Every structure is written in C-alpha cells, then in structure tokens.
C-alpha cells in the first residue's frame, strides 16, 4: 500500500503500532503462526476429543477458532478490548477471521468504514495470513440474507499484509495416537505413565503441553519426567535416554536428533546403561 492510497494513514498507523507493541516484524513472524496454531488446537481439543485436524470440526466449531484467535491476539499485543475487538493506537479495530478464502463483514463495520485486522487460516495448505484494511462498501460483494458482505477478490490489493501465506507449525499432537494417549492418561502412577508414553514414542519431539495433558492429575507433573524416581530413571536401565531441550541440547545434537526447544523433550535408544548415563541433566525440564 502506497502513501497516496486513501486508507494509508489509518492502516499504516495500526500496522506500525502492532509491530511496535510486539517488538518488530521479526517477532510477529516468529510468534503469530504459533499463536494461530495454539488457537486451533484449543478448539480442536485433541486431549478430550482425540481429534487433531480442523477438517474434523463441524461448521459451528470452526467459528470458535476466530474467537480464540481474537482473544490470543489481544493478549499477544497487550491491548484492551474497546468498542470493537481491539483498541490499537487510539482506534477501535475489528478482528475478522476466516478458514475459507475471504471474510464476512457485518453492516455496522462497513457502514462506518471501520478498520479491521484480517486473519486467514488456510486449512488445506496449513498456512496463515494477517492483514489490515478499512471496510469500505466498494471493497465488498453483495450482501447475504444477514446483510453481511464478503471481501471481494479484487479488493485484496487494499489490504496491508503483515504476513501472507506463512506456514503454520505442526500441531503439538500431530502424529500421536490420540486413542492410545487417552488410554495412557488413565494409567496409575505419573512416572510409569510418562515412561510408557516415551517408550511408545521414541525419537518423537514432545512439547511440554502434551505432557501436561498426559499428566493431568499430577500435582507436580514435570517431576514425573526427571530423574530422582521419575521417567528418566525408569527408562535409563533400558538404554533409553530421556532428553530435555533446555538442558541436553549438546547431546541431542550429537545424536543427530531433531531440534528440541526449551519446552520440548525427546526419548531415544542410546544403549547407555544407568550407571553410565552421567552426561544427562538430572533436572530434565
């Protein structure tokens, strides 16, 4: 969008304020796709439903994705809810989300030519986009029975894209047998339960949130992963090393395992007996 565009002043103010609030475009690029995936996982609720894909949601459930993205985005930016969804740079801004190819704009938004933050979640391509535009009637298609109007394809040139076609991270539950996961949640003994999960998921990068779901009934769930009687000690005599991205990255790299972030874990068969397992952290989380 160039400075001579009629929406430039309003849209650029919102864009620059968004980037200022989160510390620059690089931070947005690094964090927004994960925010979207977290919102999707929240609605899919894989732990309770054993689902892992948006395609498994019904149409009513899909509408909740936009609501969660709105909540997570407001928290991410640290801005309040104003007369609309967000209060940014002294302006009230609507958040519109779609899992299709365009957005539906209600009459109260386009009749007042209000600014909108647009979020698109492309489910088949597993991508997300984020833009800002002003809801003008000339940018919209004919109204439906509810009076809402979709953004026309030619009006996409009037959107200031902060991110476009960015890949979403994989769901933290992707590839996990959720039926089996739910069975393991009922196993007595948090450390034994954790050990069994890692036995069945060797070389899989496992996020902390997955383990918190597995250990839902434990007062100190992360203790069940460590040494000192936790899953790490249970697995070590079997030659299985349970490694933490926060403490064991040098060993993870030397074993040519996938990258493990500070909030992730991986178990792998190393053949290292317990007595020789001295290179591993006793904390492990």
């Amino acid at each position: 969008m160039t400075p001579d565009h009629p929406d430039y002043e309003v849209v650029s103010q919102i864009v620059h304020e968004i980037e200022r609030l989160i510390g620059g475009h690089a931070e947005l690029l690094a964090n927004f796709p994960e925010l979207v995936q977290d919102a999707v996982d929240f609605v899919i609720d894989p732990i309770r439903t054993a689902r892992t894909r948006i395609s498994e949601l019904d149409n009513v459930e899909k509408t909740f994705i936009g609501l969660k993205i709105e909540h997570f985005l407001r928290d991410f930016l640290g801005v309040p809810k104003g007369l609309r969804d967000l209060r940014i740079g002294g302006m009230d801004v609507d958040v519109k989300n779609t899992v299709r190819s365009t957005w539906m704009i209600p009459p109260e938004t386009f009749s007042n030519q209000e600014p909108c933050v647009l979020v698109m979640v492309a489910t088949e391509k597993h991508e997300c986009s984020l833009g800002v535009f002003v809801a003008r009637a000339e940018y919209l298609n004919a109204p439906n029975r509810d009076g809402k109007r979709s953004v026309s394809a030619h009006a996409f040139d009037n959107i200031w894209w902060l991110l476009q076609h960015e890949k979403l991270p994989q769901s933290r539950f992707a590839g996990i047998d959720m039926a089996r996961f739910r069975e393991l949640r009922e196993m007595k003994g948090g450390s034994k339960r954790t050990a069994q999960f890692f036995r069945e998921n060797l070389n899989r990068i496992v996020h902390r949130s997955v383990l918190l779901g597995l250990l839902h009934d434990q007062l100190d769930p992360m203790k069940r992963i460590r040494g000192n009687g936790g899953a790490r000690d249970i697995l070590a005599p079997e030659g299985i090393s349970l490694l933490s991205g926060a403490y064991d990255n040098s060993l993870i790299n030397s074993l040519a395992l996938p990258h493990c972030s500070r909030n992730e874990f991986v178990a792998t068969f190393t053949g290292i007996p317990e007595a020789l397992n001295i290179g591993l952290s006793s904390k492990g989380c």
Side-chain angles (χ1 to χ4, degrees):
M1 183 179 290
T2 59
D4 60 347
H5 193 284
D7 302 331
Y8 180 84
E9 183 176 353
V10 170
V11 172
S12 63
Q13 182 178 339
I14 294 170
V15 167
H16 295 149
E17 182 65 4
I18 287 173
E19 293 188 338
R20 184 192 71 80
L21 287 167
I22 52 89
H25 186 77
E27 286 297 311
L28 185 66
L29 183 63
N31 291 285
F32 185 74
E34 185 171 346
L35 178 152
V36 172
Q37 186 60 53
D38 284 348
V40 169
D41 279 343
F42 185 96
V43 177
I44 292 174
D45 196 6
I47 293 174
R48 294 175 180 84
T49 67
R51 301 175 303 190
T52 58
R53 297 184 300 274
I54 292 178
S55 61
E56 296 174 289
L57 298 176
D58 61 38
N59 288 333
V60 174
E61 289 176 305
K62 288 176 182 177
T63 64
F64 286 107
I65 292 176
L67 184 62
K68 295 317 300 181
I69 289 175
E70 174 197 325
H71 293 164
F72 289 1
L73 182 60
R74 190 184 304 133
D75 180 65
F76 178 48
L77 297 176
V79 298
K81 181 179 175 69
L83 296 176
R84 297 301 184 200
D85 299 323
L86 305 173
R87 183 78 177 167
I88 301 177
M91 289 183 281
D92 289 302
V93 181
D94 259 352
V95 176
K96 297 302 176 190
N97 180 77
T98 185
V99 294
R100 296 181 176 87
S101 58
T102 190
W103 302 265
M104 299 303 297
I105 309 298
E108 62 271 20
T109 300
F110 64 75
S111 62
N112 295 319
Q113 297 187 352
E114 295 178 357
C116 299
V117 168
L118 303 176
V119 180
M120 180 178 287
V121 184
T123 57
E124 291 184 2
K125 296 182 178 179
H126 207 61
E127 296 175 344
C128 68
S129 299
L130 174 69
V132 180
F133 98 140
V134 174
R136 296 180 181 272
E138 57 266 33
Y139 298 163
L140 308 176
N141 293 315
N144 63 13
R145 288 180 296 179
D146 298 326
K148 294 181 179 180
R149 301 173 65 178
S150 61
V151 179
S152 64
H154 69 78
F156 277 40
D157 291 339
N158 298 295
I159 300 170
W160 184 317
W161 296 105
L162 288 97
L163 303 174
Q164 196 169 16
H165 307 308
E166 288 297 325
K167 283 294 181 183
L168 291 171
Q170 266 204 332
S171 167
R172 291 163 181 166
F173 293 88
I176 295 175
D177 181 340
M178 294 308 299
R180 176 59 176 158
F181 184 88
R182 286 158 60 84
E183 290 177 357
L184 289 173
R185 275 167 49 95
E186 303 304 316
M187 179 185 288
K188 292 186 177 180
S191 297
K192 292 180 180 179
R193 185 188 314 168
T194 305
Q196 185 59 32
F197 173 79
F198 278 108
R199 285 190 193 101
E200 297 178 15
N201 290 275
L202 290 177
N203 302 316
R204 179 188 297 281
I205 302 300
V206 180
H207 193 271
R208 179 189 182 101
S209 60
V210 174
L211 296 173
L212 291 177
L214 180 71
L215 300 166
H216 61 104
D217 57 348
Q218 302 293 300
L219 294 178
D220 187 0
M222 303 316 288
K223 182 180 179 181
R224 312 306 167 195
I225 304 168
R226 307 182 187 120
N228 301 319
R232 172 166 278 184
D233 282 353
I234 295 172
L235 294 171
E238 303 170 24
I240 298 174
S241 297
L242 176 49
L243 308 175
S244 159
Y247 299 100
D248 304 311
N249 247 321
S250 60
L251 184 52
I252 290 170
N253 292 335
S254 70
L255 294 170
L257 293 167
H259 173 72
C260 217
S261 76
R262 290 188 58 83
N263 289 312
E264 293 175 326
F265 302 83
V266 61
T268 190
F269 183 79
T270 60
I272 304 173
E274 185 177 23
L276 299 178
N277 212 359
I278 57 176
L280 308 181
S281 162
S282 63
K283 297 178 181 178
C285 54

